[in-house]
Amino acid sequence: MNFASDNVVGAAPEILAAIVAANEGSLSSYGDDPVTTRMTARFDAIFERKVAAFPVGTGTAANALALAALTPPHSAIFCHAKAHIQDGECGAPEFYTGGAKLLTLPGEDGKIAAATLQRAIAEAGVGSSGGVPVAAVSITQASEAGTLYSPAEIRAIAEIAHRNGLSLHMDGARFANAVAALGLSPAEITWRVGVDVLSFGATKNGAMGAEAVVFFEPARGSELPYRRKRAGHLFSKQRFLAAQLEAYLTGDLWLRNARHANRQAARLAGGLRALPGFSLRYPAEANIVHVEMPEPAIRRLQEAGAVFHRRGGPDSRLVRLVTAFDTRPEDVERFIEIAGVASVAR
Amino acid sequence: MNFASDNVVGAAPEILAAIVAANEGSLSSYGDDPVTTRMTARFDAIFERKVAAFPVGTGTAANALALAALTPPHSAIFCHAKAHIQDGECGAPEFYTGGAKLLTLPGEDGKIAAATLQRAIAEAGVGSSGGVPVAAVSITQASEAGTLYSPAEIRAIAEIAHRNGLSLHMDGARFANAVAALGLSPAEITWRVGVDVLSFGATKNGAMGAEAVVFFEPARGSELPYRRKRAGHLFSKQRFLAAQLEAYLTGDLWLRNARHANRQAARLAGGLRALPGFSLRYPAEANIVHVEMPEPAIRRLQEAGAVFHRRGGPDSRLVRLVTAFDTRPEDVERFIEIAGVASVAR
Amino acid sequence: MNFASDNVVGAAPEILAAIVAANEGSLSSYGDDPVTTRMTARFDAIFERKVAAFPVGTGTAANALALAALTPPHSAIFCHAKAHIQDGECGAPEFYTGGAKLLTLPGEDGKIAAATLQRAIAEAGVGSSGGVPVAAVSITQASEAGTLYSPAEIRAIAEIAHRNGLSLHMDGARFANAVAALGLSPAEITWRVGVDVLSFGATKNGAMGAEAVVFFEPARGSELPYRRKRAGHLFSKQRFLAAQLEAYLTGDLWLRNARHANRQAARLAGGLRALPGFSLRYPAEANIVHVEMPEPAIRRLQEAGAVFHRRGGPDSRLVRLVTAFDTRPEDVERFIEIAGVASVAR
Amino acid sequence: MNFASDNVVGAAPEILAAIVAANEGSLSSYGDDPVTTRMTARFDAIFERKVAAFPVGTGTAANALALAALTPPHSAIFCHAKAHIQDGECGAPEFYTGGAKLLTLPGEDGKIAAATLQRAIAEAGVGSSGGVPVAAVSITQASEAGTLYSPAEIRAIAEIAHRNGLSLHMDGARFANAVAALGLSPAEITWRVGVDVLSFGATKNGAMGAEAVVFFEPARGSELPYRRKRAGHLFSKQRFLAAQLEAYLTGDLWLRNARHANRQAARLAGGLRALPGFSLRYPAEANIVHVEMPEPAIRRLQEAGAVFHRRGGPDSRLVRLVTAFDTRPEDVERFIEIAGVASVAR
């Protein structure tokens, strides 16, 4: 019953098998290898266009490299106040961009509303002779709250951004969960609605450690090879990252894994919200559930060995539960059951 | 009737005279000159202790160098949401620190309350495995709103800061106005109540272009010579900066100038607040007055040649008026009079 | 017959097995896992002291993080003119340090001589008011030329460095090859002779992608967790890096692999130098052989499918051959044989 | 008899007069003032084209901002091994560019030869998968050795640079001395022969503290306002910098000053080289003379109160003498005389 995060799990068997399979013979290093070539083809295929996809080792690296490609040092980036780039990456965006500034926006359900962005742009432009110009906006899909942007919401944000000279970045650490939940194609929630660059996550959904920076206009990624190398994120044996991503994008693995995680989260949400004293903080649309629950339930669950994080401090009754590709349905049921008993026991 | 800022004015005659006087003969460059030595002695004297004072050309440089000395790149700095370092310096703190993050705090009257800082520190420490550690807090004295921190307020902030391992920086772009208005010694509102480093402003109060970074524990400034040189803020003919600061601190010039500016602001505030439809947004405690006034008054004043900025956009009725060392009392009276006529004319 | 580099090979079977074994169940992310704990113990054991070892994904990351921990932005680092940090990492040291300067030193056989360092320090201190202070020296063991520093040579460099306030970094991308070739303990060529921080390489010697920054005074690594996270080199599923390093350091695997590679290089060097028209550029002391050979031999070998790099441009007759943990002796023999035939055919 | 540098002198009387004259009334800050407008017109006039000229306070700032505009962080800059940007600015180029790398080139008489540049570019392109791409070359006119590039030499460098995608920066800390000595127009040794951006110096030749970054293609300077502000080099009372530069460029002041300095240097060079045991290290073409002289002469001159620097350490017999706009001919004669006496006294 470990719902602490989708990164406490291991790698999917298909991913491990791909790594083992890639361990054959000598191959040119630094990405000049056939595995990378096949991975590239997979990215083009799932996005239905030629993209420039750069594998890296972590989501923080993907986000920071993507943002550095979009924004000069003397610029600002809008993001949600709870965005991972703001409070979960120890200043990586500032480091990689050379000191750009993150300007946080409020927003319900962990999402930025187009109107909020519009207003923030207007305000940023007023009397700001000494302010930094805003160069980009970053949204997270699925969001840190476990919610989803609809294509229309993304398009509205993209239009405002582009009209004002801003680029649109999407942090897709849980992109698969979003695609699976929305039942749309990857293209429909990215470049077709205005996303310029995507941090494509795989690690939280079954990879061992592989993400990619994806530019929908390949030319915009022209300097990424230098930035990636300089950051120490060009792996000499890149075949092992590429093999993970290739396997991930082959035969629907990524969506199968995501659907499973989403289903477990939906079941958790449904089961818990029905209990007296329990309520969902946000709609549970992907694989994250934020539940406010009675303190006795929290304690009972912890005593039963369930692992999860409280949000907002040690006394908070807000609990975040994250499911993964290998979450066992029986763990979900048991969690709900214990919570229910505790609830009644009050 | 130019109330746009205290930097639209020229230099005080005493400052110019000092520059002319410093133009005698050959002197060692880069600060190894007798003018700098005398300036240093003046700083020690007015702060009643040995300090390390580094002259630079602009307030932005002073702030950014001071913050860089206090904070590693992987850290955050608390400041007020309207702090000049946040929205008036085009990302200079981020540039100089190597990408530290400014975290803004709300606060009435342009000031940070100790309780707000306490809460923010507590929250920053919760669940922030990926967050940057906070290394400093920066307050502005007099504040951008034209208000003042009392010694007790500063001490409360300093105690919370130091107890939690944070350093305390004071942006003193209008430090003279604060000292003059509070009627306290410079020491009483800086190191005696816990300020670690001060950006000592002079340009807005009569200098031509000279500020200083002042470390109250000289050892903390040990790497500043390198940082300053590297930033292009070590002037070869430093005597001309030192001469300005020496003259500024000699014979009470700095406080005379500040008192004059403060008096004009007080007169403006008193005269305007008495008019129907006018109100002060913040207490006018130094040399800045924020007034909400009827639109016709704004127009009438502009037509009469008055220069000032609206705050909050072109349609805002909030006007900022800044007085300076050479603001003419007759301009103040005329401004009030025109405002009053417009007010009646409604 | 691929001698292009020791990173064109895959992973050793023991490493892959360890990865597979680590894929069991849920474990806390970001290094708070038992695999990392075991890895840490292995590092302490092989270095015969408590060290602070931080796993990262690439050697460039290890070097850049190590140097950033030793040097402020306003400083310089001495390294050999052919050091990998200078010409193989796309400016990573400059990026991570915030703009420190690499000052290159000449040196025979790819090594810095103590006397050269002494002279460079003396010169750097002369008339350099505007120069950056030198904060560190970096040496590579085994060197990029395939040569080795003896303990006495390292100690001499360390003494000069420390006497002048410089820290000593060792780029150990091929550290195992050095330890194996010298027949000394890891401690004897690192902290016992004055090395402060080591980039501990594993990828070139059988790991899939895992290196470590090793601080011999753990306190000096106190800010590394922040720098690593901020650089995107803290892996969420760190167990998979730790598993590689644990297996690498278990049961002599790392030295077995290195000995094999060294032996193949020695055989190559011995076989080739005996041929007419062939000569070794540097002593082949580890797993790299630099041979000058007749152009017909180069062509003949390429036609036979041998892969290797020319050094110094397309017309250069200087060829670099690198052996690895899985280099086949029959490939070595065949390479020598073809070279010999070509040589005779002249 | 202070020949230590051309920055030990004060400001020219015409410059001081202009500062005093600019101290009239309220003017918009941050460069939106008529003095700046007039200064801009002067720059356009002397360069015979529309340029983008940005005043800053120091030469280090000018150089670093210029280079940052030309080069991304992941790039390298060629410069002479003795260039001021390499050894006199404490890493300012690295700081401002975000970590670009300076690659030094050897060259006689303090100058880079076109052939050397050509060779270095060729070598940089070979086998440098991990090297940073070179983005710019920087030359100093007049050079740190006191020598001059002819228009043909500059053109040859520019052609090689541009053909290979590099920009050409000129450090013109002593640009006036070069223009005066060559008897050519400013355009003839800058944009007409391929210079892209110039650090236009004035401080060493009579200004109090004012330099400018000059882009010959104004569009290339489009982001400089942000970079300058962010670096703390946008002066609020910019009129005082602009006034210096306007006066400097008015009525031939800059060339008059430079001609005077050059003449004194020529006299020094001529007088000293004629003495037994004295020799010039470089041709003395501008206002710097490098003389090797007998140790007794050095001592005798120091005893007589002459101020100058030895180059190359405390025991070096190489002395650098710099003349300025206000160097007194009688000091020059006296220096030669004392040197001559000492020489005979041997």
Side-chain angles (χ1 to χ4, degrees), chain A residues 53-68:
Chain A
F54 298 89
V56 294
T58 68
T60 293
N63 281 337
L65 284 167
L67 292 171

PDB file of all heavy atoms in Angstrom, chain A residues 53-68:
ATOM      1  N   ALA A  53      13.312  15.056 -30.568  1.00  0.00           N
ATOM      2  CA  ALA A  53      13.172  14.489 -29.224  1.00  0.00           C
ATOM      3  C   ALA A  53      14.557  14.171 -28.652  1.00  0.00           C
ATOM      4  O   ALA A  53      15.326  13.431 -29.271  1.00  0.00           O
ATOM      5  CB  ALA A  53      12.335  13.222 -29.274  1.00  0.00           C
ATOM      6  N   PHE A  54      14.844  14.707 -27.493  1.00  0.00           N
ATOM      7  CA  PHE A  54      16.153  14.528 -26.858  1.00  0.00           C
ATOM      8  C   PHE A  54      15.994  13.774 -25.543  1.00  0.00           C
ATOM      9  O   PHE A  54      15.446  14.318 -24.590  1.00  0.00           O
ATOM     10  CB  PHE A  54      16.794  15.886 -26.575  1.00  0.00           C
ATOM     11  CG  PHE A  54      17.055  16.709 -27.795  1.00  0.00           C
ATOM     12  CD1 PHE A  54      16.086  17.572 -28.292  1.00  0.00           C
ATOM     13  CD2 PHE A  54      18.268  16.611 -28.465  1.00  0.00           C
ATOM     14  CE1 PHE A  54      16.327  18.337 -29.426  1.00  0.00           C
ATOM     15  CE2 PHE A  54      18.517  17.369 -29.599  1.00  0.00           C
ATOM     16  CZ  PHE A  54      17.537  18.239 -30.091  1.00  0.00           C
ATOM     17  N   PRO A  55      16.468  12.550 -25.475  1.00  0.00           N
ATOM     18  CA  PRO A  55      16.358  11.821 -24.209  1.00  0.00           C
ATOM     19  C   PRO A  55      17.289  12.393 -23.138  1.00  0.00           C
ATOM     20  O   PRO A  55      18.421  12.775 -23.429  1.00  0.00           O
ATOM     21  CB  PRO A  55      16.778  10.394 -24.574  1.00  0.00           C
ATOM     22  CG  PRO A  55      17.492  10.490 -25.866  1.00  0.00           C
ATOM     23  CD  PRO A  55      17.046  11.740 -26.551  1.00  0.00           C
ATOM     24  N   VAL A  56      16.787  12.453 -21.930  1.00  0.00           N
ATOM     25  CA  VAL A  56      17.596  12.841 -20.775  1.00  0.00           C
ATOM     26  C   VAL A  56      17.221  11.928 -19.610  1.00  0.00           C
ATOM     27  O   VAL A  56      16.300  11.124 -19.713  1.00  0.00           O
ATOM     28  CB  VAL A  56      17.362  14.317 -20.369  1.00  0.00           C
ATOM     29  CG1 VAL A  56      17.859  15.268 -21.449  1.00  0.00           C
ATOM     30  CG2 VAL A  56      15.889  14.571 -20.077  1.00  0.00           C
ATOM     31  N   GLY A  57      17.937  12.089 -18.499  1.00  0.00           N
ATOM     32  CA  GLY A  57      17.752  11.139 -17.419  1.00  0.00           C
ATOM     33  C   GLY A  57      16.639  11.438 -16.439  1.00  0.00           C
ATOM     34  O   GLY A  57      16.106  10.529 -15.795  1.00  0.00           O
ATOM     35  N   THR A  58      16.285  12.700 -16.290  1.00  0.00           N
ATOM     36  CA  THR A  58      15.294  13.045 -15.271  1.00  0.00           C
ATOM     37  C   THR A  58      14.317  14.090 -15.787  1.00  0.00           C
ATOM     38  O   THR A  58      14.609  14.830 -16.735  1.00  0.00           O
ATOM     39  CB  THR A  58      15.970  13.642 -14.010  1.00  0.00           C
ATOM     40  OG1 THR A  58      16.531  14.927 -14.344  1.00  0.00           O
ATOM     41  CG2 THR A  58      17.056  12.743 -13.457  1.00  0.00           C
ATOM     42  N   GLY A  59      13.189  14.169 -15.123  1.00  0.00           N
ATOM     43  CA  GLY A  59      12.180  15.151 -15.481  1.00  0.00           C
ATOM     44  C   GLY A  59      12.629  16.566 -15.194  1.00  0.00           C
ATOM     45  O   GLY A  59      12.285  17.501 -15.934  1.00  0.00           O
ATOM     46  N   THR A  60      13.377  16.736 -14.134  1.00  0.00           N
ATOM     47  CA  THR A  60      13.900  18.067 -13.831  1.00  0.00           C
ATOM     48  C   THR A  60      14.807  18.543 -14.952  1.00  0.00           C
ATOM     49  O   THR A  60      14.732  19.699 -15.383  1.00  0.00           O
ATOM     50  CB  THR A  60      14.655  18.028 -12.488  1.00  0.00           C
ATOM     51  OG1 THR A  60      13.704  17.784 -11.441  1.00  0.00           O
ATOM     52  CG2 THR A  60      15.370  19.334 -12.207  1.00  0.00           C
ATOM     53  N   ALA A  61      15.650  17.662 -15.444  1.00  0.00           N
ATOM     54  CA  ALA A  61      16.516  18.030 -16.563  1.00  0.00           C
ATOM     55  C   ALA A  61      15.685  18.374 -17.794  1.00  0.00           C
ATOM     56  O   ALA A  61      15.960  19.351 -18.494  1.00  0.00           O
ATOM     57  CB  ALA A  61      17.483  16.888 -16.879  1.00  0.00           C
ATOM     58  N   ALA A  62      14.659  17.585 -18.074  1.00  0.00           N
ATOM     59  CA  ALA A  62      13.823  17.847 -19.249  1.00  0.00           C
ATOM     60  C   ALA A  62      13.161  19.217 -19.139  1.00  0.00           C
ATOM     61  O   ALA A  62      13.189  20.020 -20.077  1.00  0.00           O
ATOM     62  CB  ALA A  62      12.768  16.747 -19.404  1.00  0.00           C
ATOM     63  N   ASN A  63      12.587  19.495 -17.984  1.00  0.00           N
ATOM     64  CA  ASN A  63      11.925  20.790 -17.813  1.00  0.00           C
ATOM     65  C   ASN A  63      12.907  21.948 -17.950  1.00  0.00           C
ATOM     66  O   ASN A  63      12.638  22.934 -18.638  1.00  0.00           O
ATOM     67  CB  ASN A  63      11.275  20.870 -16.424  1.00  0.00           C
ATOM     68  CG  ASN A  63       9.949  20.132 -16.361  1.00  0.00           C
ATOM     69  OD1 ASN A  63       9.299  19.920 -17.389  1.00  0.00           O
ATOM     70  ND2 ASN A  63       9.553  19.736 -15.169  1.00  0.00           N
ATOM     71  N   ALA A  64      14.023  21.827 -17.274  1.00  0.00           N
ATOM     72  CA  ALA A  64      14.970  22.943 -17.246  1.00  0.00           C
ATOM     73  C   ALA A  64      15.577  23.184 -18.624  1.00  0.00           C
ATOM     74  O   ALA A  64      15.757  24.330 -19.046  1.00  0.00           O
ATOM     75  CB  ALA A  64      16.056  22.684 -16.199  1.00  0.00           C
ATOM     76  N   LEU A  65      15.891  22.115 -19.341  1.00  0.00           N
ATOM     77  CA  LEU A  65      16.429  22.275 -20.693  1.00  0.00           C
ATOM     78  C   LEU A  65      15.385  22.872 -21.621  1.00  0.00           C
ATOM     79  O   LEU A  65      15.687  23.725 -22.456  1.00  0.00           O
ATOM     80  CB  LEU A  65      16.917  20.923 -21.232  1.00  0.00           C
ATOM     81  CG  LEU A  65      18.246  20.442 -20.664  1.00  0.00           C
ATOM     82  CD1 LEU A  65      18.483  18.978 -21.000  1.00  0.00           C
ATOM     83  CD2 LEU A  65      19.402  21.288 -21.214  1.00  0.00           C
ATOM     84  N   ALA A  66      14.160  22.415 -21.497  1.00  0.00           N
ATOM     85  CA  ALA A  66      13.092  22.944 -22.347  1.00  0.00           C
ATOM     86  C   ALA A  66      12.920  24.438 -22.106  1.00  0.00           C
ATOM     87  O   ALA A  66      12.842  25.238 -23.053  1.00  0.00           O
ATOM     88  CB  ALA A  66      11.787  22.200 -22.061  1.00  0.00           C
ATOM     89  N   LEU A  67      12.871  24.826 -20.844  1.00  0.00           N
ATOM     90  CA  LEU A  67      12.660  26.240 -20.534  1.00  0.00           C
ATOM     91  C   LEU A  67      13.853  27.087 -20.974  1.00  0.00           C
ATOM     92  O   LEU A  67      13.687  28.210 -21.469  1.00  0.00           O
ATOM     93  CB  LEU A  67      12.396  26.413 -19.038  1.00  0.00           C
ATOM     94  CG  LEU A  67      11.050  25.822 -18.580  1.00  0.00           C
ATOM     95  CD1 LEU A  67      10.950  25.823 -17.057  1.00  0.00           C
ATOM     96  CD2 LEU A  67       9.876  26.591 -19.188  1.00  0.00           C
ATOM     97  N   ALA A  68      15.051  26.535 -20.827  1.00  0.00           N
ATOM     98  CA  ALA A  68      16.241  27.288 -21.241  1.00  0.00           C
ATOM     99  C   ALA A  68      16.236  27.524 -22.748  1.00  0.00           C
ATOM    100  O   ALA A  68      16.759  28.526 -23.232  1.00  0.00           O
ATOM    101  CB  ALA A  68      17.510  26.558 -20.814  1.00  0.00           C
TER     102      ALA A  68
END
